[in-house]
Amino acid sequence: YSSRCISQSSSPYKYFSAMALLHNPSTMVKYATPEFAAKFLKKVPEYRLRIANLPTPLHTVQNVARSGNTRNGNVNDNGNSILEKLKALNIKLLIKRDDQTGGVELGGNKIRKLEFLLADALNKGADAVVTIGGEQSNHCRATAAACRMVGLEPHLILRTKRANKVEEDRTVKGGESFGYVGNILFDRMVGAKIYTCTPGEYGRVGSKELVRRVCSDIESETNMKAYPIPVGGSNGCGTCK
């Protein structure tokens, strides 16, 4: 397709270019630091990806008094709601809808960090990504899905007290499997390689060292280069500190 606008007579997408419709998530773009933030950043990422649906909307919450709460069918607010207090202080409440950054697999603020982290991984020639989090980690779910979108293999270390139950079939009588529900189900659906560690191992060894060990194993057993991402994607690259 060319970058020309699609003909108005032949397509309902007449206001969009073909290039916009055929966006490649793995395309790295030069990162330009916003002027207001430039003086605060010590290490500026060179590239970012365009995976999230940005900008997300900013919604105003109306400071309208409710007739009361409906718990147990009773209505008895007495003007003590947080909205009433904000109204009295003439404060406007705004909600940044980062739940709309993507679908259920990407939605949330984590994808903002991943746009920088995965761009760095691609720029450094990585083939796989390793990160760590709780057993139903939103960060791990978003990382796994985003990795598949840009051609990287996701490896997840999940911290849980039920490490021996992750593969247990939910249909087994009395089973306590958590490996086929919630975010772990999404992790499996995108083909993430799942490892587990106990809270004790997490405390003794540390999340950074656990990620390093898995990266080392991947590189020693395969020809892939592994890229480490810390808990929550919170490092200098992910948060642009």
Coordinates of all heavy atoms in Angstrom, one line a residue, residues 26 28 47-49 51 111 113-124 126 129 142-150 152 227 229 237:
S26 N 6.7 -3.4 16.0 CA 8.2 -3.5 16.3 C 9.0 -2.4 15.7 O 10.2 -2.4 15.8 CB 8.7 -4.9 15.8 OG 8.5 -5.0 14.4
M28 N 10.8 0.8 15.7 CA 11.4 1.7 16.7 C 11.4 3.2 16.1 O 11.7 3.4 15.0 CB 12.8 1.3 17.1 CG 12.9 0.0 17.8 SD 14.6 -0.4 18.3 CE 15.4 -0.6 16.8
Y47 N 15.2 5.1 21.8 CA 14.1 4.7 21.0 C 12.9 4.4 21.9 O 13.0 4.1 23.1 CB 14.4 3.5 20.2 CG 15.5 3.7 19.2 CD1 16.8 3.3 19.4 CD2 15.3 4.4 18.0 CE1 17.8 3.5 18.5 CE2 16.2 4.6 17.0 CZ 17.5 4.2 17.3 OH 18.5 4.4 16.4
R48 N 11.8 4.3 21.3 CA 10.5 3.8 21.9 C 9.7 3.1 20.8 O 10.0 3.3 19.6 CB 9.7 4.9 22.6 CG 9.0 5.8 21.6 CD 8.1 6.8 22.3 NE 7.1 6.2 23.1 CZ 6.2 6.9 23.9 NH1 6.4 8.2 24.0 NH2 5.3 6.3 24.5
L49 N 8.8 2.3 21.3 CA 7.9 1.6 20.3 C 6.5 2.4 20.4 O 6.3 3.2 21.3 CB 7.7 0.2 20.7 CG 8.9 -0.7 20.7 CD1 8.6 -2.1 21.1 CD2 9.6 -0.7 19.3
I51 N 3.1 0.9 20.8 CA 2.3 -0.2 21.0 C 0.9 0.2 21.7 O -0.1 -0.3 21.3 CB 2.9 -1.3 21.9 CG1 4.3 -1.7 21.3 CG2 2.0 -2.5 22.1 CD1 5.1 -2.7 22.2
I111 N 2.3 -0.9 29.9 CA 2.7 -0.8 28.5 C 3.5 0.4 28.2 O 4.3 0.5 27.3 CB 1.5 -0.9 27.6 CG1 1.9 -1.2 26.2 CG2 0.6 0.3 27.7 CD1 2.7 -2.5 26.0
K113 N 5.9 1.7 30.1 CA 7.3 1.3 30.4 C 7.8 0.4 29.3 O 8.9 0.5 28.8 CB 7.4 0.7 31.7 CG 7.0 1.6 32.9 CD 7.1 0.8 34.2 CE 6.6 1.6 35.4 NZ 6.7 0.8 36.6
L114 N 6.9 -0.5 28.9 CA 7.4 -1.6 27.9 C 7.7 -1.0 26.6 O 8.5 -1.5 25.8 CB 6.3 -2.7 27.8 CG 6.2 -3.6 29.0 CD1 4.9 -4.4 29.0 CD2 7.4 -4.4 29.2
E115 N 7.1 0.1 26.2 CA 7.4 0.8 24.9 C 8.9 1.1 24.9 O 9.5 1.1 23.8 CB 6.5 2.0 24.7 CG 5.1 1.6 24.3 CD 4.4 2.8 23.7 OE1 4.7 4.0 24.1 OE2 3.4 2.6 23.0
F116 N 9.4 1.5 26.0 CA 10.9 1.9 26.1 C 11.8 0.7 26.3 O 12.8 0.5 25.7 CB 11.1 2.9 27.2 CG 10.5 4.2 27.0 CD1 9.3 4.6 27.5 CD2 11.1 5.2 26.2 CE1 8.7 5.8 27.3 CE2 10.5 6.4 25.9 CZ 9.3 6.7 26.5
L117 N 11.3 -0.2 27.2 CA 12.1 -1.4 27.5 C 12.3 -2.3 26.3 O 13.4 -2.8 26.0 CB 11.5 -2.1 28.7 CG 11.6 -1.4 30.0 CD1 10.6 -2.0 31.0 CD2 13.0 -1.5 30.6
L118 N 11.2 -2.6 25.6 CA 11.3 -3.5 24.5 C 12.0 -2.9 23.3 O 12.6 -3.6 22.5 CB 9.9 -4.0 24.1 CG 9.1 -4.8 25.2 CD1 7.8 -5.4 24.6 CD2 10.0 -5.9 25.7
A119 N 11.9 -1.6 23.1 CA 12.7 -0.9 22.1 C 14.1 -1.0 22.4 O 15.0 -1.3 21.5 CB 12.3 0.6 22.1
D120 N 14.5 -0.9 23.7 CA 15.9 -1.1 24.1 C 16.4 -2.5 23.8 O 17.5 -2.8 23.4 CB 16.1 -0.8 25.6 CG 17.5 -0.7 26.0 OD1 18.3 0.0 25.3 OD2 17.9 -1.3 27.0
A121 N 15.5 -3.5 24.1 CA 15.8 -4.9 23.9 C 16.0 -5.2 22.4 O 17.0 -5.8 22.0 CB 14.6 -5.8 24.4
L122 N 15.2 -4.7 21.5 CA 15.3 -4.8 20.1 C 16.6 -4.1 19.6 O 17.3 -4.7 18.8 CB 14.1 -4.3 19.4 CG 12.8 -5.1 19.6 CD1 11.6 -4.3 19.0 CD2 12.9 -6.5 18.9
N123 N 16.8 -3.0 20.1 CA 18.0 -2.2 19.7 C 19.3 -2.9 20.0 O 20.3 -2.8 19.3 CB 18.0 -0.8 20.3 CG 19.0 0.1 19.7 OD1 19.3 0.2 18.5 ND2 19.7 0.9 20.6
K124 N 19.3 -3.7 21.1 CA 20.5 -4.4 21.6 C 20.5 -5.8 21.0 O 21.4 -6.6 21.4 CB 20.5 -4.5 23.1 CG 20.7 -3.1 23.7 CD 20.7 -3.1 25.2 CE 21.1 -1.8 25.8 NZ 21.0 -1.8 27.3
A126 N 18.3 -8.4 21.2 CA 17.8 -9.5 22.0 C 16.8 -10.3 21.2 O 16.1 -9.8 20.3 CB 17.1 -8.9 23.2
V129 N 13.1 -12.1 26.3 CA 13.0 -11.2 27.4 C 12.6 -12.0 28.7 O 11.8 -12.9 28.6 CB 11.9 -10.1 27.2 CG1 11.5 -9.4 28.4 CG2 12.3 -9.1 26.1
A142 N 1.3 -8.2 30.6 CA 1.5 -7.3 29.5 C 2.9 -7.5 28.8 O 3.0 -7.3 27.6 CB 1.5 -5.8 30.1
T143 N 3.9 -7.8 29.5 CA 5.2 -8.1 28.9 C 5.1 -9.3 27.9 O 5.7 -9.2 26.8 CB 6.3 -8.4 30.0 OG1 6.4 -7.3 30.9 CG2 7.6 -8.7 29.4
A144 N 4.5 -10.3 28.3 CA 4.4 -11.5 27.5 C 3.7 -11.2 26.2 O 4.1 -11.5 25.1 CB 3.6 -12.6 28.2
A145 N 2.5 -10.5 26.3 CA 1.7 -10.1 25.1 C 2.5 -9.2 24.2 O 2.6 -9.3 23.0 CB 0.4 -9.5 25.5
A146 N 3.1 -8.1 24.8 CA 3.9 -7.2 24.0 C 5.1 -7.8 23.3 O 5.4 -7.4 22.2 CB 4.3 -6.0 24.9
C147 N 5.7 -8.7 24.0 CA 6.9 -9.4 23.4 C 6.5 -10.1 22.1 O 7.2 -10.1 21.1 CB 7.5 -10.4 24.4 SG 8.6 -9.7 25.6
R148 N 5.4 -10.8 22.2 CA 4.9 -11.6 21.0 C 4.6 -10.6 19.9 O 4.7 -10.9 18.7 CB 3.7 -12.4 21.4 CG 4.1 -13.7 22.2 CD 5.1 -14.5 21.5 NE 5.3 -15.8 22.2 CZ 6.3 -16.6 22.0 NH1 7.2 -16.3 21.1 NH2 6.4 -17.7 22.7
M149 N 4.1 -9.4 20.2 CA 3.7 -8.4 19.2 C 4.9 -8.0 18.4 O 4.8 -7.6 17.2 CB 3.0 -7.3 19.8 CG 1.6 -7.6 20.4 SD 0.9 -6.2 21.2 CE 0.7 -5.0 19.9
V150 N 6.1 -8.0 19.1 CA 7.3 -7.4 18.4 C 8.4 -8.5 18.1 O 9.5 -8.2 17.8 CB 7.9 -6.3 19.3 CG1 7.0 -5.2 19.5 CG2 8.4 -6.9 20.6
L152 N 9.6 -11.0 20.1 CA 10.5 -11.5 21.2 C 9.9 -12.6 22.0 O 8.7 -12.7 22.1 CB 10.8 -10.4 22.2 CG 11.6 -9.2 21.6 CD1 11.6 -8.0 22.6 CD2 13.1 -9.6 21.3
Y227 N 17.2 -10.5 27.3 CA 17.2 -9.1 27.9 C 16.4 -9.1 29.2 O 15.2 -9.6 29.2 CB 16.5 -8.2 26.9 CG 16.4 -6.8 27.3 CD1 17.4 -5.9 27.0 CD2 15.3 -6.3 28.0 CE1 17.4 -4.5 27.3 CE2 15.2 -4.9 28.3 CZ 16.3 -4.1 28.0 OH 16.2 -2.7 28.4
I229 N 14.3 -7.7 32.4 CA 13.5 -6.6 32.8 C 13.1 -6.8 34.3 O 12.7 -7.9 34.7 CB 12.2 -6.5 32.0 CG1 12.5 -6.2 30.5 CG2 11.2 -5.5 32.5 CD1 11.3 -6.1 29.6
C237 N 15.5 2.9 32.3 CA 15.0 2.9 31.0 C 13.4 2.9 31.0 O 12.8 3.7 30.2 CB 15.5 1.7 30.2 SG 14.9 1.6 28.5

